Amino acid sequence: MGQLDTNLQALLDKRKQKGRFRSLKEYDTRAGSGLTDFSSNDYLSITTDAGLREAYVSRIASEPMVLGSTGSRLLSGGTPSHRLLERRLADHFDAPSALLFNSGWDANVSFFGNAPQPHDWVVYDELVHASVHSGMRASRVAADRKVQFLHNDPESLAEVLQKITTESKKNAGKTKPTIFLAMESLYSMDGDFAPIPSLLDVLDVYVPRAQQCVIVDEAHSTGVYGSGGRGVVDALGEGTTRTGSGRVTVRLMTFGKGVGCSGAVLLASETVRSFLINFARPFIFSTALPLSTVFALESAWDFLGSSKGETRRALLVDTINYFMDRVGPLLAFTRPTILRLPDPTPVPFPDGRTLPPRPAAPIIGLLSPTPHALSAFLLERGFVVRPVVPPTVPPGGERVRICLRAGIDLGALDGLIRALAEWVKLKLADGEEEVRAKL
Ligand SMILES: Cc1ncc(COP(=O)(O)O)c(C=O)c1O
């Protein structure tokens, strides 16, 4: 073994000792495999839709070029198909402009790595995605001007903004800073929605609109919520539109989850778009999205914007409600140290809004002190449910993460509930006979 491998192996061994070792596992969950997928982000089961497949195949049959894009967007990869898709998405979301990225990761790294300037502040929910952190790390904003607030907590945000306002007053007269506020619409681990209007109301108290830049990452809600799959911000009427209304200035819509493809689009002003084209290295120095993906995205958005998309979104809500109606009673009997839902968000979603409250999210984290063992137990019974451990979640937040999909077989949902009940029974201690009888 060379010195490099020796050094790296020592680090891997340390990670193994901490129970944090990652390895790749592949499962065949196609029909007839005997396994049901409860881990993918294909929330609308769009990737296996026969009609969409047919539409995509006939779309590419009419194109002379269907593989790669041959270069970066600034060179040969800037095809009319890419631009047409951007225009279409800008229209669909009523956004001032749209810029495609190869992934949501690239989009966040590009935006947070370049848009905030050294005199600005970046305020972010403590649970924002790793890509936002990578972007912030690459930015020229000093560490003490990047400040987190407690997850989904308007009071914590107010405290942070109060401090920033005091600090900014000391530097009055210098260039006015922009205060960036970063959050996700639907968080990927706890399956909880951000109280977006409440957080924006707090921002309005402390920061004049002209100095705000709110960015909402809709990775887990793109295609899945709102009319035409336009997402949570649109459903709330908070997105900045072409006529200028709406407090969320930048939206990140990704295509690898509910849209069933890959890539992402950043919806922002023309100036932000032009700035990223000029300065964002992941955009400038990488081959553009392959044409095969651009055409797949056209077909996927045809589907999502049609009545088929609406039907699928409604079916997903039915599926979630079916599962929650059954897992709820099970958890009510179960000692929380065996299995429990994450703590409820400190702030309930505002009443009277068009969005469903937390349980109508397709992501259900079940906290367990032994997620690897629980995942293996479920796999033996035909259910692919993946464990999530630190550092992906904070210590103590170990869990299995159940992802529901529209149209998932109800028999499989019942089976998963039975398997969870079996697991709970195994973990019951002596003296818990009353609980055992209820399961
Ligand atoms: C909240 C959030 N943002 C961004 C990303 C990155 O998106 P992509 O998978 O398209 O790189 C993810 C992916 O897991 C995510 O969950």
Side-chain angles (χ1 to χ4, degrees):
M1 209 188 245
Q3 193 56 48
L4 174 65
D5 281 355
T6 307
N7 295 348
L8 298 187
Q9 192 57 52
L11 294 171
L12 284 173
D13 290 345
K14 254 194 207 165
R15 181 164 260 237
K16 269 187 196 156
Q17 279 161 16
K18 287 187 194 158
R20 294 182 176 189
F21 186 71
R22 300 180 211 258
S23 61
L24 298 178
K25 290 192 183 64
E26 292 84 27
Y27 300 103
D28 182 358
T29 54
R30 284 173 296 184
S33 64
L35 290 180
T36 307
D37 163 34
F38 281 102
S39 75
S40 91
N41 299 314
D42 182 15
Y43 302 122
L44 299 174
S45 299
I46 191 173
T47 61
T48 48
D49 184 82
L52 175 53
R53 181 179 188 280
E54 213 173 284
Y56 173 56
V57 170
S58 76
R59 174 75 184 89
I60 56 175
S62 66
E63 286 291 335
M65 193 177 148
V66 294
L67 297 177
S69 62
T70 80
S72 108
R73 279 295 290 286
L74 287 157
L75 300 170
S76 60
T79 73
S81 301
H82 288 79
R83 192 65 195 111
L84 273 178
L85 178 61
E86 281 178 344
R87 294 221 166 94
R88 173 188 174 162
L89 291 170
D91 284 347
H92 185 67
F93 290 98
D94 190 16
S97 84
L99 184 62
L100 289 171
F101 285 88
N102 290 352
S103 66
W105 180 280
D106 276 2
N108 270 337
V109 168
S110 295
F111 182 80
F112 287 97
N114 293 282
Q117 302 305 302
H119 55 272
D120 293 335
W121 295 84
V122 187
V123 180
Y124 58 95
D125 186 289
E126 62 179 335
L127 295 190
V128 290
H129 192 254
S131 50
V132 173
H133 287 275
S134 281
M136 287 194 294
R137 242 178 258 159
S139 85
R140 293 185 298 141
V141 178
D144 60 358
R145 297 177 85 87
K146 296 179 269 199
V147 197
Q148 66 176 26
F149 62 95
L150 296 177
H151 177 53
N152 276 353
D153 187 340
E155 273 177 33
S156 170
L157 175 64
E159 273 168 36
V160 166
L161 293 173
Q162 171 80 62
K163 280 188 200 141
I164 291 176
T165 312
T166 312
E167 189 67 27
S168 292
K169 276 189 188 136
K170 284 191 216 152
N171 295 313
K174 295 194 184 153
T175 317
K176 280 187 183 158
T178 297
I179 316 296
F180 289 77
L181 176 62
M183 67 186 89
E184 293 172 22
S185 48
L186 170 59
Y187 285 85
S188 62
M189 288 299 146
D190 288 1
D192 53 344
F193 293 98
I196 296 174
S198 308
L199 294 171
L200 297 181
D201 289 348
V202 170
L203 185 65
D204 274 341
V205 170
Y206 293 94
V207 182
R209 287 275 170 91
Q211 282 174 259
Q212 300 179 3
C213 177
V214 179
I215 169 163
V216 177
D217 181 336
E218 297 232 40
H220 291 272
S221 45
T222 308
V224 182
Y225 292 96
S227 89
R230 291 178 181 84
V232 172
V233 171
D234 183 88
L236 291 168
E238 293 286 7
T240 298
T241 60
R242 287 165 177 180
T243 50
S245 68
R247 295 180 283 182
V248 176
T249 15
V250 182
R251 281 175 279 170
L252 173 65
M253 317 305 291
T254 75
F255 305 143
K257 304 179 199 299
V259 185
C261 300
S262 71
V265 69
L266 201 79
L267 305 170
S269 70
E270 274 294 350
T271 309
V272 167
R273 180 174 188 273
S274 175
F275 189 82
L276 295 178
I277 291 171
N278 277 277
F279 290 98
R281 295 166 74 82
F283 180 87
I284 300 167
F285 296 110
S286 188
T287 301
L289 274 181
L291 281 165
S292 50
T293 303
V294 172
F295 299 139
L297 284 165
E298 286 177 9
S299 304
W301 280 105
D302 286 344
F303 181 99
L304 292 166
S306 72
S307 59
K308 288 185 202 156
E310 294 300 339
T311 308
R312 223 33 100 76
R313 283 185 281 277
L315 188 57
L316 177 62
V317 173
D318 289 347
T319 307
I320 297 165
N321 289 339
Y322 184 92
F323 185 77
M324 294 309 291
D325 284 350
R326 283 151 185 81
V327 87
L330 168 66
L331 295 175
F333 296 133
T334 301
R335 194 163 19 93
T337 46
I338 299 178
L339 214 54
R340 69 174 173 90
L341 287 170
D343 294 329
T345 56
V347 184
F349 206 86
D351 286 342
R353 300 279 176 176
T354 48
L355 282 167
R358 182 182 127 187
I363 303 163
I364 295 133
L366 289 182
L367 274 74
S368 153
T370 52
H372 286 289
L374 173 54
S375 168
F377 178 88
L378 295 174
L379 186 62
E380 271 171 30
R381 283 149 188 80
F383 308 111
V384 180
V385 178
R386 305 302 297 272
V388 187
V389 296
T392 306
V393 286
E398 293 83 359
R399 68 194 64 198
V400 292
R401 181 168 172 267
I402 296 170
C403 293
L404 298 177
R405 287 175 292 113
I408 212 164
D409 182 45
L410 294 188
L413 290 177
D414 291 338
L416 178 58
I417 297 284
R418 276 197 302 276
L420 289 168
E422 235 186 286
W423 170 261
V424 172
K425 271 186 200 166
L426 276 178
K427 299 288 154 191
L428 288 177
D430 292 343
E432 288 189 287
E433 293 316 313
E434 217 176 286
V435 178
R436 190 182 302 278
K438 285 183 190 157
L439 291 169

